[in-house]
Amino acid sequence: MAGTVLVTGGTGYIAGEVIDQLLDKGWCVRTTVRSKARSEARLRGRWPGAGDRLYVFEADLMDDAGWDLANEGCTHVCHVASPFPVGVPKDENELIVPAREGTLRALRFAHAAGVEHFVQTSSSAAIAYGHPASKTTFDERDWTNPDAPGVQPYVKSKTIAERAARDWVSGNAAGMAFCSVNPVAVLGPVVNDDLSASIEFVRRFLTGEIPAIPRIGFTIVDVRDVASLHVLALEASPETIRGERFACAADFMWMGDMARVLRDHMGADARKVPTRRMPTPILKLMALFNSEIRQIAGEVGKKKVVSGQHARDKLGWTTMPADQTVLDTGRSLVAQGIVRL
Ligand code: NAP
């Protein structure tokens, strides 16, 4: 099946891969960017053969301008854009407000344009935080408690945005087939130097900027599999996806194991990847002074396993091995000249 779909935030890592797969499957794709002057040529360069099957519109999450034009003629929307910075802002509303208001704006304009099939990119951030430490396995039935102590602004932003979207749909657009896709940490090949925050630690492993490995791990998923789940959700019948949440997860890995995969398979390109462990007290001390470290310090030693089984069962989704994902991330960073050794 193919129709016309709006993918918000076409400059993004995940949105780019979603657009790639949709174009491959014959969809007409519209996408929003904050600045056409900055981004349109780059997007056209990535898909030179797309011709009039790709249109780029200017629209900001915080402004109504442009959203009506972007939605005109669309049958489906895939709302991916949301702030995803490295580090923690001083004011949590820098993330919460655009995430929530942007999602509501995307829904409102989609509904006004007659779109009845809407897929929101949420996150495992809306699933796996603010729970008791004894809870170690998670899936789409779990909700983050954004009011729990230590829950970070980004995690709050994704939880609040997804909740707001579901409330808005039930109050204003009951006929709309709405679902969320909730990825865990996304890795996989990068296509340019505009890196998603989730890629940063692999880049820093390779450059030697991370001198020792913290006892931190997370469930990861490949960007190609994240995109394929979005496409499956877009192409599924409205009944199949209505109200659903799809945790989008492959396998759990400790950072130490990711470093080992890079070292074992990338030869000299991995010579700066650390081998030493970072003692946890040192990491916690560093977190006092560094907001990027603060964002992850609360996760030290925690093994949180998120399951993607529901998406496999309901949509026939498949994922690639986690080692392959880590390796393809590292190799692409070198191939793109982003990591120079
Ligand atoms: P990304 O590459 O940083 O993409 C974020 C996108 O959001 C960019 O296109 C950015 O546009 C856009 N954006 C941010 N603020 C905006 C605003 N005010 N108005 C319009 N557009 C705005 O990150 P990503 O990894 O692809 O993430 C995409 C989505 O997936 C986000 O919703 C994120 O929460 C979610 N997610 C990501 C991961 C992960 O590990 N990567 C995991 C779970 C969920 P500019 O290029 O103009 O900045």
Side-chain angles (χ1 to χ4, degrees):
M1 94 166 259
T4 299
V5 55
L6 173 64
V7 180
T8 65
T11 52
Y13 180 46
I14 293 174
E17 191 63 33
V18 171
I19 292 171
D20 204 56
Q21 294 189 14
L22 287 168
L23 287 172
D24 258 4
K25 297 192 90 179
W27 285 77
C28 291
V29 177
R30 292 153 167 257
T31 191
T32 58
V33 297
R34 276 195 268 199
S35 160
K36 274 179 79 160
R38 212 173 51 223
S39 314
E40 186 168 17
R42 189 178 225 185
L43 295 188
R44 292 245 156 249
R46 179 165 176 187
W47 297 289
D52 62 5
R53 287 200 301 119
L54 178 66
Y55 279 96
V56 181
F57 295 85
E58 218 165 58
D60 191 292
L61 294 174
M62 294 297 288
D63 193 331
D64 282 348
W67 286 95
D68 50 354
L69 265 185
N71 274 284
E72 210 176 277
C74 290
T75 50
H76 294 63
V77 168
C78 185
H79 176 53
V80 194
S82 201
F84 184 37
V86 176
V88 186
K90 283 205 177 72
D91 178 358
E92 64 182 20
N93 284 318
E94 281 178 36
L95 302 185
I96 294 171
V97 175
R100 184 189 55 221
E101 296 309 310
T103 302
L104 294 176
R105 184 162 281 110
L107 277 167
R108 238 181 16 250
F109 278 94
H111 185 54
V115 171
E116 297 208 327
H117 199 118
F118 192 107
V119 177
Q120 181 206 8
T121 313
S122 183
S123 173
S124 62
I127 290 179
Y129 294 81
H131 296 281
S134 55
K135 183 167 170 59
T136 55
T137 57
F138 299 88
D139 63 27
E140 44 280 299
R141 291 168 294 189
D142 298 305
W143 274 95
T144 287
N145 171 9
D147 302 319
V151 170
Q152 296 293 312
Y154 171 72
V155 169
K156 287 189 191 176
S157 79
K158 296 304 287 183
T159 310
I160 290 168
E162 190 192 328
R163 284 266 192 218
R166 289 176 182 277
D167 289 348
W168 190 89
V169 171
S170 66
N172 299 278
M176 186 184 257
F178 169 94
C179 75
S180 65
V181 170
N182 296 55
V184 292
V186 182
L187 299 177
V190 301
V191 296
N192 58 47
D193 60 1
D194 188 6
L195 296 185
S196 171
S198 55
I199 302 295
E200 261 307 298
F201 80 89
V202 182
R203 188 189 69 75
R204 291 183 200 187
F205 266 174
L206 289 167
T207 59
E209 287 166 74
I210 300 181
I213 307 166
R215 179 75 177 151
I216 288 177
F218 21 86
T219 314
I220 66 169
V221 64
D222 194 287
V223 68
R224 294 162 287 191
D225 295 331
V226 176
S228 74
L229 182 51
H230 282 79
V231 174
L232 284 168
L234 286 165
E235 295 190 338
S237 70
E239 298 70 40
T240 306
I241 63 128
R242 194 182 304 280
E244 283 283 357
R245 273 184 118 195
F246 295 107
C248 176
D251 298 301
F252 179 90
M253 268 181 113
W254 293 107
M255 286 176 99
D257 292 326
M258 298 187 214
R260 182 189 41 75
V261 168
L262 298 172
R263 281 197 311 270
D264 285 356
H265 298 281
M266 286 184 66
D269 288 340
R271 64 183 176 275
K272 294 182 182 167
V273 173
T275 51
R276 281 180 300 141
R277 291 233 169 269
M278 179 177 295
T280 296
I282 292 185
L283 184 86
K284 297 220 159 153
L285 189 66
M286 288 163 70
L288 294 176
F289 307 102
N290 182 316
S291 77
E292 285 178 35
I293 297 176
R294 197 150 58 241
Q295 196 167 25
I296 53 165
E299 298 304 302
V300 173
K302 291 184 186 166
K303 185 171 181 184
K304 287 184 175 175
V305 180
V306 181
S307 166
Q309 194 55 44
H310 179 58
R312 296 174 210 274
D313 293 344
K314 185 115 192 179
L315 298 176
W317 184 55
T318 55
T319 56
M320 54 188 76
D323 283 14
Q324 187 66 50
T325 295
V326 171
L327 192 54
D328 287 351
T329 313
R331 284 184 172 150
S332 69
L333 285 165
V334 174
Q336 296 286 337
I338 297 160
V339 171
R340 289 201 185 85
L341 296 152

